[in-house]
Amino acid sequence: MRNPFLLKQYINTLESAAICARLSPDGNIRWMSESLHKLLGVHYLKRTTAFSEFLRIDSRNDVTGEINEAAANGEVWNGRLCLTSTNRRRWCRCIAIPLYETDGLLAEQILLFQDISREIHLDELLQEARFDQVTALPTRIDLLNDLKQIGAQCLAVLDIRKFRSYADFCGLEFGDALLREFSDWASAFLKTKHINIYRLHGDKFALIPDFRMIPSLFERQLLGFYKALSLHKLKVENGDVTLDVAIGMGVGRKKQLQLAESALSKAKAIYSGYKVEVVYERELLDENKVNWLPKIQSALVDHRFVNYYQPIQSTNKSQSSYYEALVRLRDENKDLAPGLFLDEAKTTRYYCEITRSVIEQAVLTSERYQVAISVNVSIEDILNEETVSFIHYVLSEHKKAQLIFEITETESTEDFTKVQAFARDVRRLGGQIAIDDFGVGYSNFSRLISLRPDYLKIDGSIVQNVLHDPTSASILNGLISICKELHIPIVAEFVENEEVNAYLCNQQIEYLQGYYIGKPSPELNRVLN
């Protein structure tokens, strides 16, 4: 731009729109934009004000050192910092760009900021959700992560017998105090046995070994725990309480939590004393006597993988509702849920064929009824070149179809790079992107901002607990605030009753999904009617 007058206007426009500052070579602020003044609540600057004065004191030296080192090497610095003033604190993402004279000496540095305070606050809330507010134990989130990392084949679930009687008779505060005392004692006792304890909800807890302990040893350790607990008196509000628990143990390569829940049901139904009820994965396989591989093969040949459609209802009349495609395996006169066969399919080359079958049916249904349909894609699908090529082909050939691809959260940096590329290509070809189950595993909001999905589906556990769990309510409110700013519509899953439905409508959630809204059906015209 050679016209100096236009250049000056261009610079003024950028400076007025951005949150930015200019620093002298020695780190003093020469100028800051009006947006930065407002962000910090600062109305004037001294003649020489060091930028470091606005950095949080515990990171001041590190941040300035990194920025200066980058400038000395002729590099741009990119990082996160906390700006503070007398009455404000703001977390920002910052880019420091050095400018040089013709002789190579540093002339000044341009600092560009993006306020990410809300994202940081919500990240902190999500981290809090990883630890139970009453007992300070880790929750289901860490349980599932640890189970996967350790590769444990054993998991136990215990339930405090007649706990509700304590809470009803002595009050909720007594009940919370009892849970804390039990958790502290159990955590200390089990640590010596190399067992971790997690609070699931209410008076239900999960236990897993911290290494790949053999089932017989884990069962013996649980029996020892049961015996020690029955002899121990918990001190609660100047009184002694002796607890009894029911314990169920699941053993298998996967779905250990479901196996343990099944065992716990048996333990609660029959008072078993010094006994741990155990359910083995092989027992369920023997009971079902299903060899899924030939069933999956024949279902693909005979086109017996069918889509069910569940409505996702818009709460705004100006926005259209859409539908989620959910796969079923048609076996004689029954349609089998994916929980029975999909994990087995993921270990075979047939999984990608099931995904393509779901997408193909969704495309034809979307064109026929002129409605948007979402389909689930896992990281396995995104990493599969054949599946991605098929999706590109479908979007290119079926311009009238309205497809939304729901991506399950992923923490892997490598995976996320693939997700970004997948999302970019899908949008270029006319599709849309939704992030599924947001709020538990995926707490990195910089990824959310960079991906900018067309829809954000809130994890069902947050929605289910929003009426009685303050942390879940805070997380939901924070997500609503951020998504409003980013113009990302929210989809709330697991809307199961009128109370939750009314609450979410009052919070102006854009889309609702759950059995209260509508159950999945194999015929979309039935759902539409």
Side-chain angles (χ1 to χ4, degrees):
M1 189 177 292
R2 297 179 180 179
N3 188 319
F5 182 67
L6 289 177
L7 179 61
K8 181 65 176 177
Q9 292 181 78
Y10 179 70
I11 293 172
N12 289 339
T13 300
L14 291 178
E15 289 179 343
S16 63
I19 305 175
C20 58
R22 292 164 50 199
L23 305 187
S24 65
D26 55 1
N28 290 329
I29 299 175
R30 286 178 171 170
W31 171 90
M32 69 166 63
S33 67
E34 185 64 28
S35 300
L36 186 54
H37 275 284
K38 290 180 180 178
L39 185 70
L40 290 172
V42 175
H43 301 293
Y44 65 92
L45 292 173
K46 300 175 185 177
R47 183 176 295 275
T48 55
T49 300
F51 169 68
S52 60
E53 291 184 19
F54 293 105
L55 293 174
R56 199 172 66 177
I57 191 167
D58 61 344
S59 61
R60 184 173 294 172
N61 293 335
D62 291 339
V63 172
T64 54
E66 289 175 12
I67 292 176
N68 291 336
E69 183 181 354
N73 295 329
E75 298 173 349
V76 172
W77 182 83
N78 193 334
R80 196 172 72 175
L81 50 79
C82 185
L83 296 177
T84 62
S85 60
T86 53
N87 59 349
R88 294 193 182 182
R89 188 183 80 163
R90 289 289 187 270
W91 280 98
C92 293
R93 189 171 290 107
C94 174
I95 299 176
I97 306 170
L99 303 180
Y100 303 93
E101 302 284 3
T102 54
D103 57 5
L105 295 176
L106 181 66
E108 66 178 27
Q109 293 201 70
I110 306 297
L111 270 56
L112 301 175
F113 303 94
Q114 178 188 10
D115 186 6
I116 57 171
S117 300
R118 287 186 179 179
E119 290 91 326
I120 294 294
H121 173 65
L122 198 47
D123 259 338
E124 290 171 351
L125 281 175
L126 289 168
Q127 290 302 315
E128 287 180 15
R130 294 179 58 205
F131 294 92
D132 180 63
Q133 300 299 303
V134 175
T135 65
L137 290 176
T139 62
R140 181 189 178 99
I141 301 167
D142 274 342
L143 168 66
L144 298 178
N145 287 335
D146 293 348
L147 190 64
K148 184 176 181 180
Q149 289 182 5
I150 296 167
Q153 58 179 326
C154 308
L155 183 149
V157 177
L158 68 84
D159 189 283
I160 300 175
R161 295 185 189 271
K162 299 182 181 179
F163 173 77
R164 184 52 52 196
S165 300
Y166 288 109
D168 291 343
F169 184 74
C170 303
L172 294 177
E173 290 185 4
F174 181 91
D176 285 348
L178 179 57
L179 288 174
R180 279 192 292 271
E181 288 296 319
F182 167 75
S183 300
D184 290 346
W185 177 87
S187 182
F189 179 91
L190 291 167
K191 186 177 182 180
T192 64
K193 310 298 181 184
H194 298 283
I195 294 175
N196 299 326
I197 182 169
Y198 309 77
R199 188 184 181 195
L200 297 178
H201 57 82
D203 59 334
K204 187 176 288 187
F205 298 80
L207 296 84
I208 62 170
D210 61 14
F211 66 96
R212 297 191 68 179
M213 189 181 293
I214 61 173
S216 59
L217 175 58
F218 186 53
E219 185 177 359
R220 286 200 302 272
Q221 300 285 33
L222 293 177
L223 287 170
F225 168 76
Y226 183 96
K227 183 175 182 179
L229 177 63
S230 65
L231 298 173
H232 183 74
K233 293 182 179 179
L234 299 171
K235 302 288 185 182
V236 185
E237 295 185 1
N238 301 319
D240 294 337
V241 178
T242 302
L243 292 180
D244 186 28
V245 295
I247 303 177
M249 172 180 157
V251 182
R253 291 181 298 127
K254 50 193 174 183
K255 296 189 177 181
Q256 295 94 331
L257 184 56
Q258 292 91 323
L259 295 171
E261 292 276 10
S262 177
L264 180 64
S265 297
K266 295 181 180 180
K268 292 171 70 174
I270 303 172
Y271 182 73
S272 53
Y274 293 100
K275 186 175 185 294
V276 175
E277 293 291 339
V278 184
V279 171
Y280 291 87
E281 183 181 32
R282 63 173 180 267
E283 293 176 1
L284 293 183
L285 293 176
D286 290 341
E287 289 175 7
N288 295 330
K289 294 181 180 178
V290 174
N291 184 353
W292 285 106
L293 187 57
K295 277 186 173 292
I296 290 170
Q297 289 174 315
S298 64
L300 284 168
V301 172
D302 299 336
H303 302 287
R304 286 187 286 106
F305 282 106
V306 297
N307 285 1
Y308 273 50
Y309 297 96
Q310 185 174 25
I312 299 176
Q313 186 180 78
S314 170
T315 58
N316 187 335
K317 292 182 179 178
S318 65
Q319 296 173 323
S320 300
S321 299
Y322 68 99
Y323 304 84
E324 180 177 1
L326 303 166
V327 68
R328 300 288 188 268
L329 192 160
R330 184 154 289 168
D331 185 35
E332 297 179 353
N333 60 345
K334 295 182 295 183
D335 288 342
L336 305 179
L340 295 173
F341 60 84
L342 208 54
D343 282 341
E344 291 289 336
K346 283 185 177 182
T347 64
T348 72
R349 63 184 178 85
Y350 300 110
Y351 174 70
C352 58
E353 294 187 41
I354 297 173
T355 299
R356 295 200 282 270
S357 170
V358 171
I359 294 171
E360 186 175 9
Q361 294 176 64
V363 166
L364 298 177
T365 304
S366 175
E367 287 182 327
R368 179 180 178 184
Y369 294 102
Q370 298 182 348
V371 294
I373 294 178
S374 69
V375 294
N376 292 283
V377 289
S378 65
I379 193 62
E380 289 90 348
D381 294 314
I382 293 173
L383 296 178
N384 186 293
E385 293 183 4
E386 290 184 18
T387 300
V388 173
S389 296
F390 176 78
I391 290 171
H392 292 173
Y393 170 79
V394 165
L395 291 173
S396 300
E397 294 297 317
H398 297 267
K399 299 292 187 183
K400 292 183 179 180
Q402 304 170 55
L403 286 191
I404 303 163
F405 294 90
E406 290 189 16
I407 302 171
T408 304
E409 301 176 32
T410 174
E411 293 288 350
S412 166
T413 303
E414 179 183 353
D415 290 353
F416 188 72
T417 302
K418 296 285 188 180
V419 170
Q420 284 180 306
F422 175 80
R424 182 181 62 248
D425 292 340
V426 163
R427 285 206 187 88
R428 177 175 54 82
L429 294 169
Q432 291 184 302
I433 294 294
I435 292 180
D436 196 10
D437 296 335
F438 189 90
V440 176
Y442 197 129
S443 57
N444 188 337
F445 281 88
S446 63
R447 292 182 171 188
L448 172 65
I449 292 169
S450 65
L451 194 60
R452 288 294 179 99
D454 302 286
Y455 303 89
L456 186 72
K457 299 190 79 170
I458 304 299
D459 183 78
S461 63
I462 294 175
V463 176
Q464 287 178 311
N465 296 325
V466 73
L467 294 182
H468 53 80
D469 178 22
T471 301
S472 295
S474 296
I475 291 172
L476 181 61
N477 290 333
L479 285 170
I480 291 171
S481 176
I482 289 175
C483 287
K484 293 288 185 190
E485 274 193 17
L486 298 176
H487 304 291
I488 301 173
I490 289 179
V491 182
E493 298 181 284
F494 288 87
V495 182
E496 306 296 336
N497 54 58
E498 171 57 32
E499 291 77 13
V500 172
N501 181 77
Y503 178 86
L504 296 173
C505 287
N506 288 335
Q507 298 299 312
Q508 297 183 329
I509 299 290
E510 287 86 354
Y511 293 93
L512 305 177
Q513 181 181 12
Y515 274 27
Y516 181 80
I517 304 301
K519 295 182 180 181
S521 170
E523 299 175 17
L524 186 58
N525 59 353
R526 186 184 304 173
V527 181
L528 288 168
N529 293 330

